[in-house]
Amino acid sequence: MYQQHSIEQTRVRVAERLASEPFSALSSLCEQLEQSEAEVTLALPSEMVTEVAGEHAEAILQRLPSWGKVTTIVHSGASIFEFKAPFPKGKLARGYYNLMGKEGELHGHLRLDLVTHIALVSKPFMKMESHYMGFFDSSGHCVFKVYLGRDKQRKLFPEQIALFQQLKQELS
């Protein structure tokens, strides 16, 4: 069962783990520390994470379709679903943000009113530069993540890095 710790305690515990395992996945840190993904993510060092209020979710999602190919990840239980395509346009209707992807792209219905925190994360993964947006609910679960895209050589798209950095500056 997950334990509650103060944010200061969690920051210390996360920093200690990162010092010994800098490329570890956040999901592993969550298991090791027995804390929610939001608690661990938001306790990353300030150079790795920018916390944004959930009320900005729609504005962020409306920008993403112009960024090009990204990787959207949804965890469900022990399963991970990945969609590598441009993030679809969407609109609010009947309490949901409805994703209207083209054929072969992501479709779905998001309850953005349940997103309480957004983390803009810059943390190496598998020894590679990595940047993503994590959308969290009030219980600390990650609803979904959107990672910057990569080319065929597994390099991040420079224009997406610039857009991500601009977003961080605007929302911090």
Side-chain angles (χ1 to χ4, degrees), residues 3-145:
Q3 302 173 11
Q4 288 288 76
H5 295 275
S6 73
I7 188 67
E8 293 80 20
Q9 288 173 316
T10 302
R11 281 193 177 114
V12 168
R13 296 173 79 215
V14 167
E16 289 171 353
R17 294 290 178 158
L18 287 175
S20 63
E21 304 170 44
F23 300 110
S24 62
L26 285 179
S27 57
S28 297
L29 285 176
C30 295
E31 289 175 18
Q32 293 168 7
L33 300 175
E34 297 181 325
Q35 290 189 254
S36 74
E37 188 169 355
E39 289 175 303
V40 171
T41 301
L42 297 173
L44 287 168
S46 60
E47 65 272 10
M48 289 186 179
V49 67
T50 299
E51 182 178 356
V52 177
E55 65 195 38
H56 295 286
E58 182 180 1
I60 291 171
L61 296 179
Q62 287 178 345
R63 289 177 150 188
L64 290 180
S66 68
W67 287 26
K69 185 176 133 184
V70 294
T71 300
T72 303
I73 294 182
V74 179
H75 291 257
S76 181
S79 300
I80 301 171
F81 296 91
E82 294 184 16
F83 304 90
K84 293 182 180 188
F87 197 85
K89 291 182 180 179
K91 67 178 181 178
L92 280 176
R94 299 183 182 173
Y96 289 89
Y97 186 77
N98 297 290
L99 300 176
M100 302 175 298
K102 299 174 185 169
E103 189 167 328
E105 292 182 352
L106 182 63
H107 291 241
H109 312 280
L110 306 173
R111 286 280 311 271
L112 295 184
D113 60 317
L114 299 179
V115 173
T116 57
H117 295 84
I118 302 164
L120 306 179
V121 179
S122 298
K123 181 189 175 303
F125 181 68
M126 298 180 75
K127 300 185 180 181
M128 293 191 303
E129 178 182 7
S130 181
H131 305 280
Y132 72 89
M133 291 148 268
F135 296 79
F136 298 93
D137 66 19
S138 63
S139 65
H141 292 103
C142 188
V143 181
F144 66 100
K145 297 175 189 167

